[in-house]
Amino acid sequence: MDREQLEKGAQLFSALANPQRLEIMLVLAESIETELSLSELQAKMGGMAQSSLSTYVTQLRIARLVVVRREARWVRIRIADSSLIDHIKALAERG
């Protein structure tokens, strides 16, 4: 493994080290739909404040773990790489 791959791996684990960000990823991974709106995600997160949720989603987007797109007045969120879904589920199960 070269230095660049190690840096990317460290960024991934850093992004998932926060329990709320990990929960967001798990909710997205377990969602039947491929995307959730921010309000749908908020409901599944137990009513987390939208400002907090937006901050966590932004951090996940910066880490390139989620893709965010606007659809009219809605913000839609999905996991950026579907190959992460099984890894996220396994990580959560080990917790």
Side-chain angles (χ1 to χ4, degrees):
M1 210 180 251
D2 66 15
R3 188 72 183 160
E4 184 177 335
Q5 289 174 316
L6 290 171
E7 289 292 330
K8 286 181 182 180
Q11 288 174 344
L12 171 68
F13 284 112
S14 178
L16 295 177
N18 177 282
Q20 288 78 18
R21 290 191 302 257
L22 180 57
E23 184 179 6
I24 290 168
M25 293 296 289
L26 187 58
V27 167
L28 289 171
E30 292 178 342
S31 174
I32 295 171
E33 298 87 27
T34 57
E35 295 181 324
L36 290 177
S37 71
L38 192 60
S39 59
E40 290 168 331
L41 182 58
Q42 183 181 20
K44 290 179 183 262
M45 296 286 298
M48 177 186 287
Q50 188 168 351
S51 60
S52 297
L53 184 57
S54 292
T55 299
Y56 291 129
V57 168
T58 297
Q59 292 166 338
L60 291 168
R61 183 184 54 78
I62 290 169
R64 296 184 177 149
L65 295 178
V66 298
V67 173
V68 177
R69 72 175 181 89
R70 291 207 173 269
E71 183 179 282
R73 58 177 223 178
W74 301 100
V75 174
R76 309 286 298 171
I77 306 151
R78 68 174 171 83
I79 292 179
D81 182 353
S82 61
S83 68
L84 288 174
I85 292 173
D86 290 334
H87 298 295
I88 291 164
K89 289 179 178 179
L91 183 62
E93 288 173 5
R94 294 192 76 161

Coordinates of all heavy atoms in Angstrom, one line a residue:
M1 N 0.8 -1.2 0.0 CA 0.0 0.0 0.0 C 0.9 1.2 0.0 O 1.8 1.4 0.8 CB -0.9 0.0 1.3 CG -2.2 0.6 1.1 SD -3.2 0.6 2.6 CE -4.5 -0.6 2.1
D2 N 0.6 2.2 -0.9 CA 1.4 3.4 -1.0 C 0.9 4.4 0.0 O -0.2 4.3 0.6 CB 1.6 3.9 -2.4 CG 0.3 4.4 -3.0 OD1 -0.7 4.6 -2.2 OD2 0.2 4.6 -4.2
R3 N 1.6 5.5 0.1 CA 1.3 6.5 1.1 C -0.1 7.2 0.8 O -0.9 7.5 1.7 CB 2.4 7.6 1.1 CG 2.2 8.6 2.2 CD 2.6 8.0 3.5 NE 2.4 8.9 4.5 CZ 2.3 8.6 5.8 NH1 2.3 7.3 6.1 NH2 2.1 9.5 6.7
E4 N -0.4 7.4 -0.5 CA -1.7 8.0 -0.9 C -2.9 7.1 -0.5 O -3.9 7.6 0.1 CB -1.7 8.2 -2.4 CG -3.0 8.9 -2.8 CD -2.9 9.2 -4.3 OE1 -1.8 9.3 -4.9 OE2 -4.0 9.3 -4.9
Q5 N -2.7 5.8 -0.6 CA -3.8 4.8 -0.2 C -4.0 4.9 1.3 O -5.1 4.8 1.8 CB -3.5 3.4 -0.7 CG -3.6 3.3 -2.2 CD -3.2 1.9 -2.7 OE1 -2.1 1.4 -2.2 NE2 -3.9 1.3 -3.6
L6 N -2.9 4.9 2.0 CA -2.9 5.0 3.5 C -3.6 6.3 3.9 O -4.5 6.3 4.9 CB -1.5 4.9 4.1 CG -0.8 3.6 4.0 CD1 0.6 3.7 4.4 CD2 -1.6 2.5 4.8
E7 N -3.4 7.4 3.3 CA -4.0 8.7 3.6 C -5.5 8.6 3.3 O -6.3 9.0 4.2 CB -3.4 9.8 2.8 CG -2.0 10.2 3.2 CD -1.9 10.9 4.5 OE1 -2.9 11.5 4.9 OE2 -0.9 10.7 5.2
K8 N -5.9 8.0 2.2 CA -7.3 7.9 1.9 C -8.0 7.0 2.9 O -9.1 7.2 3.3 CB -7.5 7.3 0.5 CG -7.2 8.3 -0.6 CD -7.5 7.8 -2.0 CE -7.1 8.8 -3.0 NZ -7.3 8.3 -4.4
G9 N -7.4 5.9 3.3 CA -7.9 5.0 4.3 C -8.1 5.7 5.7 O -9.1 5.5 6.3
A10 N -7.1 6.5 6.0 CA -7.2 7.2 7.3 C -8.3 8.3 7.2 O -9.0 8.4 8.2 CB -5.9 7.9 7.6
Q11 N -8.5 8.9 6.1 CA -9.6 9.9 6.0 C -11.0 9.2 6.1 O -11.9 9.7 6.7 CB -9.5 10.6 4.6 CG -8.4 11.6 4.6 CD -8.2 12.2 3.2 OE1 -8.7 11.7 2.2 NE2 -7.5 13.3 3.1
L12 N -11.1 8.0 5.5 CA -12.3 7.2 5.6 C -12.6 6.9 7.0 O -13.7 7.1 7.5 CB -12.2 5.9 4.8 CG -13.3 4.9 5.0 CD1 -14.6 5.5 4.4 CD2 -13.0 3.6 4.3
F13 N -11.7 6.3 7.8 CA -11.9 6.0 9.2 C -12.1 7.2 10.0 O -13.0 7.2 10.9 CB -10.7 5.2 9.7 CG -10.8 3.7 9.3 CD1 -9.8 3.2 8.4 CD2 -11.8 2.9 9.7 CE1 -9.9 1.9 8.0 CE2 -11.8 1.6 9.2 CZ -10.9 1.1 8.4
S14 N -11.5 8.3 9.7 CA -11.7 9.6 10.4 C -13.1 10.0 10.2 O -13.8 10.5 11.2 CB -10.7 10.6 10.0 OG -11.0 11.8 10.6
A15 N -13.6 10.0 9.0 CA -15.0 10.4 8.7 C -16.0 9.5 9.4 O -17.1 10.0 9.8 CB -15.2 10.4 7.2
L16 N -15.7 8.3 9.6 CA -16.7 7.3 10.2 C -16.5 7.2 11.7 O -17.2 6.5 12.4 CB -16.6 6.0 9.6 CG -17.0 5.9 8.1 CD1 -16.8 4.5 7.6 CD2 -18.4 6.3 7.9
A17 N -15.5 7.9 12.3 CA -15.2 7.8 13.7 C -16.2 8.5 14.6 O -16.4 8.2 15.7 CB -13.8 8.4 14.0
N18 N -17.0 9.4 14.0 CA -18.1 10.1 14.7 C -19.3 9.2 14.7 O -19.8 8.8 13.7 CB -18.3 11.4 14.1 CG -19.4 12.2 14.7 OD1 -20.6 11.9 14.5 ND2 -19.1 13.1 15.6
P19 N -19.9 8.9 15.9 CA -21.1 8.1 15.9 C -22.3 8.6 15.1 O -23.0 7.8 14.5 CB -21.5 8.0 17.4 CG -20.3 8.5 18.1 CD -19.5 9.4 17.2
Q20 N -22.5 9.9 15.0 CA -23.6 10.4 14.2 C -23.4 10.2 12.7 O -24.3 9.9 12.0 CB -23.9 11.9 14.6 CG -24.5 12.1 15.9 CD -23.5 12.0 17.1 OE1 -22.3 12.1 16.9 NE2 -24.0 11.9 18.3
R21 N -22.1 10.5 12.3 CA -21.8 10.3 10.9 C -21.9 8.8 10.5 O -22.4 8.4 9.5 CB -20.4 10.8 10.5 CG -20.4 12.3 10.6 CD -19.1 12.9 10.0 NE -17.9 12.5 10.7 CZ -17.2 13.2 11.5 NH1 -17.6 14.4 11.9 NH2 -16.1 12.7 12.1
L22 N -21.5 7.9 11.4 CA -21.6 6.5 11.1 C -23.1 6.1 11.1 O -23.5 5.3 10.2 CB -20.9 5.7 12.2 CG -20.9 4.1 12.1 CD1 -20.3 3.7 10.7 CD2 -20.1 3.5 13.2
E23 N -23.9 6.6 12.0 CA -25.3 6.3 11.9 C -26.0 6.8 10.6 O -26.8 6.1 10.1 CB -26.0 6.9 13.1 CG -27.5 6.6 13.2 CD -28.2 7.2 14.4 OE1 -27.6 8.0 15.2 OE2 -29.4 6.8 14.6
I24 N -25.6 8.0 10.2 CA -26.1 8.5 8.9 C -25.8 7.5 7.8 O -26.6 7.1 7.0 CB -25.5 9.9 8.6 CG1 -26.1 10.9 9.5 CG2 -25.8 10.3 7.1 CD1 -25.4 12.2 9.5
M25 N -24.5 7.0 7.8 CA -24.1 6.1 6.7 C -24.9 4.8 6.8 O -25.3 4.2 5.8 CB -22.6 5.9 6.8 CG -21.7 7.1 6.5 SD -21.9 7.6 4.7 CE -21.1 6.3 3.9
L26 N -25.1 4.3 8.1 CA -25.8 3.1 8.3 C -27.3 3.2 7.8 O -27.8 2.4 7.2 CB -25.8 2.7 9.7 CG -26.3 1.3 10.0 CD1 -25.7 0.2 9.2 CD2 -26.2 1.0 11.5
V27 N -27.9 4.4 8.2 CA -29.3 4.6 7.7 C -29.4 4.6 6.2 O -30.3 4.0 5.6 CB -29.8 5.9 8.4 CG1 -31.1 6.4 7.7 CG2 -30.0 5.8 9.8
L28 N -28.4 5.3 5.6 CA -28.4 5.3 4.1 C -28.2 3.9 3.5 O -28.8 3.6 2.5 CB -27.3 6.3 3.6 CG -27.6 7.8 3.8 CD1 -26.4 8.6 3.5 CD2 -28.8 8.3 3.0
A29 N -27.3 3.2 4.2 CA -27.0 1.8 3.7 C -28.2 0.9 3.8 O -28.4 0.0 3.0 CB -25.8 1.3 4.4
E30 N -29.0 1.1 4.8 CA -30.2 0.2 5.1 C -31.4 0.7 4.4 O -32.4 0.0 4.4 CB -30.4 0.1 6.6 CG -29.3 -0.7 7.3 CD -29.5 -0.8 8.8 OE1 -30.3 0.0 9.3 OE2 -28.8 -1.6 9.4
S31 N -31.4 1.9 3.8 CA -32.5 2.4 3.1 C -32.9 1.6 1.9 O -32.1 1.2 1.1 CB -32.3 3.9 2.7 OG -33.3 4.4 2.0
I32 N -34.2 1.4 1.7 CA -34.7 0.7 0.6 C -34.4 1.5 -0.7 O -34.1 1.0 -1.7 CB -36.2 0.3 0.7 CG1 -36.4 -0.6 1.9 CG2 -36.8 -0.3 -0.6 CD1 -37.8 -0.9 2.3
E33 N -34.7 2.8 -0.6 CA -34.4 3.7 -1.7 C -32.9 3.9 -1.9 O -32.2 3.7 -1.0 CB -35.1 5.1 -1.5 CG -36.6 5.0 -1.4 CD -37.0 4.8 0.0 OE1 -36.3 5.1 1.0 OE2 -38.1 4.2 0.2
T34 N -32.5 4.3 -3.1 CA -31.1 4.5 -3.3 C -30.7 5.9 -2.7 O -29.6 6.1 -2.4 CB -30.7 4.5 -4.8 OG1 -31.5 5.4 -5.5 CG2 -30.9 3.1 -5.3
E35 N -31.7 6.8 -2.6 CA -31.5 8.1 -2.0 C -32.5 8.4 -0.9 O -33.6 7.9 -1.0 CB -31.6 9.2 -3.1 CG -30.6 9.2 -4.2 CD -30.8 10.3 -5.1 OE1 -32.0 10.7 -5.4 OE2 -29.8 10.8 -5.6
L36 N -32.2 9.3 -0.1 CA -33.1 9.8 0.9 C -33.1 11.3 0.8 O -32.0 11.9 0.6 CB -32.8 9.4 2.3 CG -33.0 7.9 2.7 CD1 -32.5 7.7 4.1 CD2 -34.4 7.5 2.6
S37 N -34.2 12.0 1.1 CA -34.2 13.4 1.2 C -33.6 13.8 2.6 O -33.6 12.9 3.5 CB -35.6 14.0 1.0 OG -36.4 13.7 2.2
L38 N -33.2 15.0 2.8 CA -32.7 15.4 4.1 C -33.8 15.2 5.2 O -33.5 14.8 6.3 CB -32.2 16.8 4.0 CG -31.4 17.3 5.2 CD1 -30.1 16.5 5.4 CD2 -31.0 18.8 5.0
S39 N -35.0 15.5 4.8 CA -36.1 15.4 5.8 C -36.4 13.9 6.1 O -36.7 13.6 7.3 CB -37.4 16.1 5.3 OG -37.8 15.6 4.1
E40 N -36.3 13.0 5.1 CA -36.5 11.6 5.4 C -35.3 11.1 6.3 O -35.6 10.3 7.2 CB -36.5 10.8 4.0 CG -37.7 11.1 3.2 CD -37.5 10.5 1.8 OE1 -36.4 10.4 1.2 OE2 -38.6 10.2 1.2
L41 N -34.1 11.5 6.0 CA -33.0 11.1 6.8 C -33.2 11.6 8.2 O -32.9 10.9 9.2 CB -31.7 11.6 6.2 CG -30.4 11.2 6.9 CD1 -30.2 9.7 7.0 CD2 -29.2 11.9 6.1
Q42 N -33.6 12.8 8.3 CA -33.8 13.4 9.7 C -34.8 12.6 10.5 O -34.6 12.3 11.6 CB -34.3 14.9 9.5 CG -34.5 15.6 10.8 CD -35.0 17.0 10.6 OE1 -35.6 17.4 9.6 NE2 -34.8 17.8 11.7
A43 N -35.9 12.2 9.8 CA -37.0 11.4 10.5 C -36.4 10.0 10.9 O -36.7 9.6 12.0 CB -38.1 11.2 9.6
K44 N -35.6 9.4 10.1 CA -35.0 8.1 10.4 C -33.9 8.3 11.5 O -33.5 7.3 12.2 CB -34.4 7.5 9.2 CG -35.5 7.0 8.2 CD -34.9 6.3 7.0 CE -35.9 5.9 6.0 NZ -36.3 4.5 6.1
M45 N -33.4 9.5 11.7 CA -32.3 9.7 12.7 C -33.0 10.1 14.0 O -32.3 10.6 14.9 CB -31.4 10.8 12.2 CG -30.6 10.5 11.0 SD -29.3 9.3 11.3 CE -28.3 10.2 12.5
G46 N -34.2 10.0 14.2 CA -34.9 10.3 15.4 C -35.1 11.8 15.6 O -35.2 12.3 16.8
G47 N -35.2 12.6 14.6 CA -35.5 14.0 14.7 C -34.3 14.8 15.0 O -34.4 15.9 15.6
M48 N -33.1 14.4 14.7 CA -31.9 15.2 14.9 C -32.1 16.6 14.3 O -32.7 16.7 13.2 CB -30.7 14.6 14.2 CG -29.4 15.4 14.3 SD -28.0 14.6 13.4 CE -27.6 13.2 14.4
A49 N -31.6 17.6 14.9 CA -31.7 19.0 14.4 C -31.2 19.1 13.0 O -30.1 18.5 12.7 CB -31.0 20.0 15.3
Q50 N -31.9 19.7 12.1 CA -31.6 19.8 10.7 C -30.2 20.4 10.5 O -29.4 20.0 9.7 CB -32.6 20.5 9.9 CG -32.3 20.4 8.4 CD -33.5 20.8 7.5 OE1 -34.6 21.1 8.0 NE2 -33.2 20.9 6.2
S51 N -29.9 21.4 11.3 CA -28.6 22.1 11.2 C -27.4 21.1 11.5 O -26.4 21.1 10.8 CB -28.5 23.4 12.1 OG -28.7 23.0 13.4
S52 N -27.6 20.3 12.5 CA -26.6 19.3 12.9 C -26.5 18.3 11.8 O -25.4 17.9 11.4 CB -26.9 18.6 14.2 OG -27.0 19.6 15.3
L53 N -27.6 17.8 11.3 CA -27.6 16.8 10.3 C -26.9 17.3 9.0 O -26.1 16.6 8.4 CB -29.0 16.4 10.0 CG -29.2 15.2 9.0 CD1 -28.5 14.0 9.4 CD2 -30.7 14.9 8.8
S54 N -27.2 18.5 8.7 CA -26.6 19.2 7.5 C -25.1 19.2 7.6 O -24.4 19.0 6.7 CB -27.2 20.5 7.2 OG -28.5 20.5 6.8
T55 N -24.6 19.6 8.8 CA -23.2 19.7 9.1 C -22.6 18.3 8.9 O -21.5 18.2 8.3 CB -22.9 20.2 10.5 OG1 -23.5 21.5 10.6 CG2 -21.5 20.2 10.8
Y56 N -23.2 17.3 9.5 CA -22.6 15.9 9.4 C -22.6 15.4 7.9 O -21.6 14.8 7.5 CB -23.4 14.9 10.2 CG -23.2 15.1 11.7 CD1 -24.3 15.2 12.6 CD2 -21.9 15.2 12.3 CE1 -24.1 15.4 13.9 CE2 -21.8 15.4 13.6 CZ -22.9 15.5 14.5 OH -22.7 15.6 15.8
V57 N -23.7 15.7 7.2 CA -23.8 15.3 5.8 C -22.7 16.0 5.0 O -22.0 15.5 4.1 CB -25.2 15.6 5.2 CG1 -25.2 15.4 3.7 CG2 -26.2 14.6 5.8
T58 N -22.5 17.3 5.3 CA -21.4 18.1 4.6 C -20.1 17.4 4.8 O -19.2 17.3 3.9 CB -21.4 19.5 5.1 OG1 -22.7 20.1 4.7 CG2 -20.3 20.3 4.4
Q59 N -19.8 17.0 6.1 CA -18.5 16.4 6.4 C -18.4 15.1 5.6 O -17.3 14.8 5.1 CB -18.4 16.2 7.9 CG -18.3 17.5 8.7 CD -18.5 17.3 10.2 OE1 -19.1 16.3 10.6 NE2 -18.0 18.3 10.9
L60 N -19.4 14.3 5.5 CA -19.4 13.1 4.7 C -19.2 13.3 3.3 O -18.5 12.6 2.6 CB -20.7 12.3 5.0 CG -20.8 11.7 6.4 CD1 -22.2 11.1 6.6 CD2 -19.8 10.6 6.7
R61 N -19.8 14.4 2.8 CA -19.6 14.8 1.4 C -18.2 15.2 1.1 O -17.6 14.8 0.1 CB -20.6 15.9 1.0 CG -20.5 16.3 -0.5 CD -21.4 17.5 -0.8 NE -21.1 18.7 0.1 CZ -20.1 19.5 -0.1 NH1 -19.2 19.3 -1.1 NH2 -19.9 20.6 0.7
I62 N -17.6 16.0 2.0 CA -16.2 16.4 1.8 C -15.3 15.2 1.8 O -14.3 15.1 1.1 CB -15.8 17.4 2.9 CG1 -16.5 18.7 2.7 CG2 -14.3 17.6 3.0 CD1 -16.4 19.7 3.8
A63 N -15.6 14.2 2.6 CA -14.9 12.9 2.7 C -15.2 12.0 1.5 O -14.6 10.9 1.4 CB -15.1 12.2 4.0
R64 N -16.1 12.5 0.6 CA -16.5 11.7 -0.6 C -17.2 10.4 -0.3 O -17.1 9.4 -1.0 CB -15.3 11.5 -1.5 CG -14.8 12.8 -2.1 CD -13.7 12.6 -3.1 NE -13.3 13.9 -3.6 CZ -12.1 14.2 -4.0 NH1 -11.2 13.2 -3.9 NH2 -11.8 15.3 -4.5
L65 N -17.9 10.3 0.9 CA -18.6 9.1 1.2 C -20.1 9.2 0.8 O -20.7 8.2 0.6 CB -18.5 8.9 2.7 CG -17.1 8.6 3.3 CD1 -17.2 8.5 4.8 CD2 -16.6 7.4 2.6
V66 N -20.6 10.4 0.6 CA -22.0 10.6 0.1 C -22.0 11.6 -1.0 O -21.1 12.4 -1.2 CB -22.9 11.1 1.2 CG1 -23.1 10.1 2.4 CG2 -22.6 12.4 1.8
V67 N -23.0 11.4 -1.8 CA -23.3 12.4 -2.9 C -24.6 13.1 -2.5 O -25.5 12.5 -2.1 CB -23.4 11.7 -4.2 CG1 -23.9 12.6 -5.3 CG2 -22.2 10.9 -4.6
V68 N -24.5 14.4 -2.7 CA -25.7 15.3 -2.4 C -26.1 16.0 -3.7 O -25.3 16.5 -4.4 CB -25.3 16.3 -1.3 CG1 -26.5 17.3 -1.0 CG2 -24.8 15.6 0.0
R69 N -27.4 15.9 -3.9 CA -27.9 16.6 -5.1 C -29.2 17.3 -4.8 O -29.9 16.9 -3.9 CB -28.0 15.7 -6.3 CG -29.2 14.7 -6.2 CD -29.3 13.9 -7.5 NE -30.5 13.0 -7.4 CZ -31.7 13.3 -7.7 NH1 -32.0 14.5 -8.2 NH2 -32.7 12.4 -7.5
R70 N -29.4 18.4 -5.5 CA -30.7 19.2 -5.3 C -31.7 18.7 -6.3 O -31.4 18.5 -7.5 CB -30.4 20.6 -5.4 CG -29.6 21.2 -4.3 CD -29.9 22.7 -4.1 NE -29.3 23.2 -2.9 CZ -29.8 23.2 -1.7 NH1 -31.0 22.7 -1.5 NH2 -29.2 23.6 -0.7
E71 N -32.9 18.5 -5.9 CA -34.0 18.2 -6.7 C -35.1 19.2 -6.4 O -35.8 19.0 -5.4 CB -34.4 16.7 -6.5 CG -35.5 16.3 -7.4 CD -35.9 14.8 -7.2 OE1 -35.1 14.0 -7.6 OE2 -36.9 14.6 -6.5
A72 N -35.3 20.2 -7.2 CA -36.2 21.3 -6.9 C -35.8 21.9 -5.5 O -34.7 22.3 -5.4 CB -37.6 20.8 -6.9
R73 N -36.7 21.8 -4.6 CA -36.4 22.4 -3.2 C -35.8 21.3 -2.3 O -35.6 21.6 -1.1 CB -37.5 23.1 -2.7 CG -38.8 22.2 -2.5 CD -39.9 23.0 -1.9 NE -40.5 22.0 -0.9 CZ -41.5 22.3 -0.1 NH1 -42.0 23.5 -0.1 NH2 -41.9 21.4 0.7
W74 N -35.7 20.1 -2.7 CA -35.2 19.0 -1.9 C -33.8 18.7 -2.0 O -33.2 18.9 -3.1 CB -36.0 17.7 -2.2 CG -37.5 17.9 -2.0 CD1 -38.4 18.1 -3.0 CD2 -38.2 17.9 -0.8 NE1 -39.7 18.2 -2.5 CE2 -39.6 18.1 -1.1 CE3 -37.8 17.7 0.5 CZ2 -40.6 18.1 -0.1 CZ3 -38.8 17.7 1.5 CH2 -40.2 17.9 1.2
V75 N -33.1 18.3 -1.0 CA -31.7 17.8 -1.0 C -31.8 16.3 -0.9 O -32.4 15.8 0.0 CB -30.9 18.4 0.1 CG1 -29.5 17.8 0.2 CG2 -30.8 19.9 0.0
R76 N -31.2 15.6 -1.9 CA -31.2 14.2 -1.9 C -29.8 13.7 -1.6 O -28.8 14.2 -2.1 CB -31.7 13.6 -3.2 CG -33.0 14.2 -3.8 CD -34.2 13.7 -3.1 NE -34.4 12.3 -3.3 CZ -35.3 11.6 -2.6 NH1 -36.1 12.1 -1.8 NH2 -35.4 10.3 -2.8
I77 N -29.7 12.6 -0.8 CA -28.4 12.1 -0.3 C -28.3 10.6 -0.6 O -29.3 9.9 -0.4 CB -28.2 12.4 1.2 CG1 -28.4 13.8 1.5 CG2 -26.9 11.9 1.7 CD1 -29.0 14.1 2.9
R78 N -27.2 10.2 -1.0 CA -27.0 8.7 -1.2 C -25.5 8.4 -0.9 O -24.6 9.3 -1.0 CB -27.3 8.3 -2.6 CG -26.4 8.8 -3.7 CD -26.8 8.2 -5.1 NE -26.1 8.9 -6.1 CZ -24.9 8.6 -6.5 NH1 -24.1 7.7 -5.9 NH2 -24.3 9.3 -7.5
I79 N -25.2 7.2 -0.7 CA -23.8 6.7 -0.5 C -23.1 6.8 -1.8 O -23.7 6.4 -2.9 CB -23.8 5.3 0.1 CG1 -24.3 5.3 1.5 CG2 -22.4 4.7 0.0 CD1 -24.4 4.0 2.2
A80 N -21.9 7.4 -1.8 CA -21.2 7.7 -3.1 C -20.8 6.4 -3.8 O -20.8 6.3 -5.0 CB -20.0 8.5 -2.8
D81 N -20.4 5.4 -3.1 CA -19.9 4.2 -3.7 C -20.6 3.0 -3.0 O -20.5 2.7 -1.9 CB -18.4 4.0 -3.4 CG -17.7 2.8 -4.0 OD1 -18.4 2.0 -4.6 OD2 -16.5 2.7 -4.0
S82 N -21.4 2.3 -3.9 CA -22.3 1.2 -3.3 C -21.4 0.1 -2.7 O -21.9 -0.7 -1.9 CB -23.2 0.7 -4.4 OG -22.5 0.2 -5.5
S83 N -20.2 0.0 -3.1 CA -19.3 -1.1 -2.5 C -19.1 -0.8 -1.0 O -18.7 -1.7 -0.3 CB -18.0 -1.2 -3.3 OG -17.2 0.0 -3.1
L84 N -19.3 0.4 -0.5 CA -19.1 0.7 0.9 C -20.3 0.1 1.8 O -20.1 0.0 3.0 CB -19.1 2.2 1.1 CG -17.8 2.9 0.6 CD1 -18.0 4.4 0.7 CD2 -16.6 2.5 1.4
I85 N -21.4 -0.1 1.2 CA -22.6 -0.5 1.9 C -22.3 -1.7 2.8 O -22.6 -1.7 4.0 CB -23.8 -0.7 1.0 CG1 -24.2 0.6 0.4 CG2 -25.0 -1.3 1.8 CD1 -25.3 0.6 -0.6
D86 N -21.8 -2.8 2.3 CA -21.5 -4.0 3.1 C -20.5 -3.7 4.1 O -20.6 -4.2 5.3 CB -21.1 -5.2 2.2 CG -22.2 -5.7 1.3 OD1 -23.4 -5.5 1.7 OD2 -21.9 -6.2 0.2
H87 N -19.5 -2.9 3.8 CA -18.5 -2.6 4.8 C -19.0 -1.8 6.0 O -18.7 -2.0 7.1 CB -17.3 -1.8 4.2 CG -16.6 -2.6 3.1 ND1 -15.9 -3.8 3.3 CD2 -16.5 -2.4 1.8 CE1 -15.4 -4.2 2.2 NE2 -15.8 -3.4 1.2
I88 N -19.9 -0.9 5.7 CA -20.5 0.0 6.7 C -21.4 -0.9 7.6 O -21.4 -0.8 8.8 CB -21.3 1.1 6.1 CG1 -20.4 2.1 5.4 CG2 -22.2 1.8 7.1 CD1 -21.0 3.0 4.4
K89 N -22.2 -1.8 7.0 CA -23.0 -2.7 7.8 C -22.2 -3.6 8.7 O -22.5 -3.8 9.9 CB -24.0 -3.5 6.9 CG -25.0 -2.7 6.2 CD -25.9 -3.6 5.3 CE -27.0 -2.8 4.7 NZ -27.8 -3.7 3.8
A90 N -21.1 -4.1 8.1 CA -20.3 -5.0 8.9 C -19.6 -4.2 10.1 O -19.5 -4.7 11.2 CB -19.2 -5.6 8.0
L91 N -19.2 -3.0 9.8 CA -18.6 -2.2 10.9 C -19.6 -1.9 12.0 O -19.2 -2.0 13.2 CB -18.1 -0.9 10.2 CG -17.3 0.1 11.1 CD1 -16.1 -0.5 11.7 CD2 -17.0 1.4 10.4
A92 N -20.8 -1.6 11.6 CA -21.8 -1.3 12.6 C -22.2 -2.6 13.4 O -22.4 -2.5 14.6 CB -23.1 -0.8 11.9
E93 N -22.2 -3.7 12.8 CA -22.5 -5.0 13.5 C -21.4 -5.3 14.5 O -21.6 -5.9 15.6 CB -22.6 -6.1 12.5 CG -23.9 -6.0 11.7 CD -24.0 -7.1 10.6 OE1 -23.1 -7.9 10.5 OE2 -25.0 -7.0 9.9
R94 N -20.1 -5.0 14.2 CA -19.0 -5.3 15.1 C -19.0 -4.4 16.3 O -18.4 -4.8 17.4 CB -17.7 -5.1 14.4 CG -17.5 -6.1 13.2 CD -16.2 -6.1 12.8 NE -15.4 -6.8 13.8 CZ -14.2 -7.4 13.6 NH1 -13.7 -7.2 12.4 NH2 -13.6 -8.0 14.5
G95 N -19.7 -3.2 16.2 CA -19.7 -2.3 17.3 C -20.0 -2.8 18.6 O -19.5 -2.8 19.7

